[in-house]
Amino acid sequence: MGGAVSAGEDNDELIDNLKEAQYIRTELVEQAFRAIDRADYYLEEFKDNAYKDLAWKHGNIHLSAPCIYSEVMEALDLQPGLSFLNLGSGTGYLSSMVGLILGPFGVNHGVELHSDVIEYAKQKLDFFIKTSDSFDKFEFCEPSFVTGNCLEISPDCTQYDRVYCGAGVQKEHEDYMKNLLKVGGILVMPLEEKLTKITRTGPSAWETKKILAVSFAPLIQPNHADSGKSRLVHLPPVAVRSLQDLARIAIRGTIKKIIHQETMRNGNGLKNPPRFKRRRVRRRRMETIVFLDKEVFASRISSPSDDNNNSEDIEEERHEEEETKPSELKPDPPVNFLREKVLSLPLPDPLKYYLLYYREK
């Protein structure tokens, strides 16, 4: 699946292309996509393909195409504080983007069939939390992943505001999926070769909307051949935050507000202007076609000024390359103002590090 938009050179250009093609339509979704580099979820040897609008699969590891993820994110209509269940959570890429929108008081759970993929997702989540400056720009709802078949979720589990299934759902499992939703909730899943949005409008009332044609591998059916018994999947309990953690969230939020006010006061509140890449036009030699009687000869007719013009063109191209080099250099990484502000506070170092979640960067 994928290929709906052209490839980008980096994550931002990929997002620009998704916006231009109207796959990303809201600011919240755009911010989440820009905050997490898709390439970070690829194995090193496959990163060259990270910014193409294509799905990627290696063994049990799988990522859907960016155009699919953006349609899913838009259809879920995510808001801070909601609960989210990701069935077939895979690498955790989608769950992490969702967590940036849900904020500290949301619920973010994932069920994944393969234990090796769960370990991969946890590594990627740990890398994001420890190294990404985006972590400090958002209040993050950290995803929790459990191993199991999503068709064997315990019947006494809580219902969710938003549910996404990343594998093809057979018609016979449609009601099972619907029952995972709270009233007012939204379920997005591939159903009968269509990405489908289902809104629960009442205890037994539903609204269904087909979003786009897709092709997903079907859900793997439970296998009870070994024990003959179902292996129920128990989702994580909804954790109550400690007073200490609530204090950290409040302090970080206050510091962010102060930084924003200072930025606006200094006139730096505007967003960074879009980056335009200058394209150099290459000059090509023109060939002259000469007709003599009934025969045709293709040749280049030289003139005394050709050699001079050619050297002038080369010199001009070299000059243009020198001009464009500074703009093509990678800009300095943006300053993490929250980190700088916390480190400048007159507080004991252990408290500073606690406010920064003991992050390495």
Side-chain angles (χ1 to χ4, degrees):
M1 284 301 301
V5 301
S6 56
E9 290 186 8
D10 56 25
N11 197 65
D12 278 322
E13 190 169 323
L14 172 63
I15 308 313
D16 290 342
N17 294 340
L18 290 168
K19 278 188 68 182
E20 186 177 352
Q22 288 294 300
Y23 284 99
I24 292 178
R25 300 178 289 277
T26 58
E27 187 174 353
L28 272 179
V29 172
E30 178 187 352
Q31 288 174 350
F33 267 84
R34 290 195 190 279
I36 297 182
D37 195 322
R38 181 176 167 89
D40 290 341
Y41 288 79
Y42 275 67
L43 292 170
E44 194 65 38
E45 60 266 35
F46 299 103
K47 286 190 175 183
D48 288 346
N49 295 319
Y51 307 122
K52 296 176 181 178
D53 188 30
L54 297 171
W56 172 65
K57 183 172 174 59
H58 181 76
N60 292 327
I61 301 170
H62 176 261
L63 280 168
S64 292
C67 68
I68 300 297
Y69 280 136
S70 52
E71 283 288 4
V72 169
M73 291 278 285
E74 291 288 358
L76 286 170
D77 189 21
L78 297 160
Q79 303 295 330
L82 296 181
S83 57
F84 172 67
L85 177 61
N86 189 353
L87 303 175
S89 50
T91 65
Y93 172 63
L94 178 67
S95 292
S96 292
M97 288 195 292
V98 169
L100 297 174
I101 298 176
L102 297 183
F105 304 112
V107 174
N108 194 356
H109 293 162
V111 179
E112 169 57 43
L113 183 63
H114 303 288
S115 58
D116 60 325
V117 180
I118 290 275
E119 289 307 311
Y120 186 86
K122 288 179 178 177
Q123 290 171 16
K124 296 303 179 183
L125 175 63
D126 189 56
F127 178 80
F128 169 69
I129 291 174
K130 287 185 176 179
T131 66
S132 175
D133 281 331
S134 294
F135 180 82
D136 285 332
K137 296 176 184 176
F138 296 81
E139 293 297 346
F140 186 49
C141 182
E142 185 174 333
S144 298
F145 305 113
V146 295
T147 306
N149 191 308
C150 65
L151 293 174
E152 296 182 298
I153 292 175
S154 175
D156 61 356
C157 81
T158 184
Q159 293 176 315
Y160 291 79
D161 297 301
R162 301 291 186 269
V163 177
Y164 170 65
C165 182
V169 177
Q170 294 86 346
K171 190 67 177 175
E172 65 201 73
H173 297 304
E174 181 180 355
D175 289 341
Y176 170 90
M177 295 292 178
K178 287 179 176 179
N179 287 327
L180 296 171
L181 274 185
K182 294 178 181 178
V183 173
I186 295 173
L187 164 66
V188 178
M189 61 181 177
L191 181 66
E192 298 181 315
E193 302 296 310
K194 297 284 194 302
L195 190 64
T196 305
K197 175 181 178 179
I198 298 175
T199 305
R200 188 168 194 171
T201 57
S204 302
W206 317 85
E207 287 182 0
T208 301
K209 178 184 178 183
K210 305 292 185 183
I211 301 173
L212 76 164
V214 292
S215 177
F216 277 65
L219 282 171
I220 295 176
Q221 302 301 307
N223 182 4
H224 304 149
D226 295 337
S227 62
K229 295 181 180 179
S230 174
R231 299 175 182 176
L232 289 181
V233 176
H234 296 279
L235 295 167
V238 177
V240 177
R241 288 189 176 273
S242 67
L243 183 59
Q244 190 178 37
D245 200 23
L246 292 172
R248 173 165 59 183
I249 293 167
I251 292 169
R252 284 168 62 92
T254 300
I255 294 173
K256 286 179 183 177
K257 287 179 183 177
I258 292 171
I259 293 170
H260 178 70
Q261 290 168 358
E262 290 176 351
T263 303
M264 296 301 292
R265 210 165 33 241
N266 295 333
N268 297 325
L270 295 176
K271 295 181 180 178
N272 292 330
R275 300 169 300 148
F276 295 98
K277 296 183 180 178
R278 183 176 177 181
R279 293 183 179 177
R280 182 162 51 88
V281 178
R282 297 184 180 275
R283 292 172 173 78
R284 297 179 180 176
R285 297 178 184 273
M286 297 300 293
E287 301 295 328
T288 303
I289 307 299
V290 181
F291 292 88
L292 294 177
D293 294 331
K294 294 182 180 179
E295 296 186 12
V296 180
F297 297 88
S299 63
R300 184 174 182 274
I301 300 179
S302 301
S303 67
S305 62
D306 274 350
D307 292 337
N308 290 335
N309 287 341
N310 186 43
S311 61
E312 287 174 7
D313 287 348
I314 293 172
E315 179 63 27
E316 188 176 344
E317 285 187 5
R318 187 185 64 79
H319 184 65
E320 285 181 1
E321 285 178 355
E322 289 176 355
E323 281 184 347
T324 56
K325 271 182 184 176
S327 63
E328 291 174 0
L329 289 175
K330 208 167 185 180
D332 293 332
V335 178
N336 187 328
F337 291 106
L338 177 66
R339 181 179 179 82
E340 297 295 323
K341 183 70 79 173
V342 169
L343 291 175
S344 69
L345 294 173
L347 297 171
D349 284 346
L351 182 52
K352 292 180 184 179
Y353 298 144
Y354 178 76
L355 290 173
L356 294 171
Y357 287 86
Y358 303 101
R359 299 177 68 238
E360 295 174 358
K361 194 171 180 182

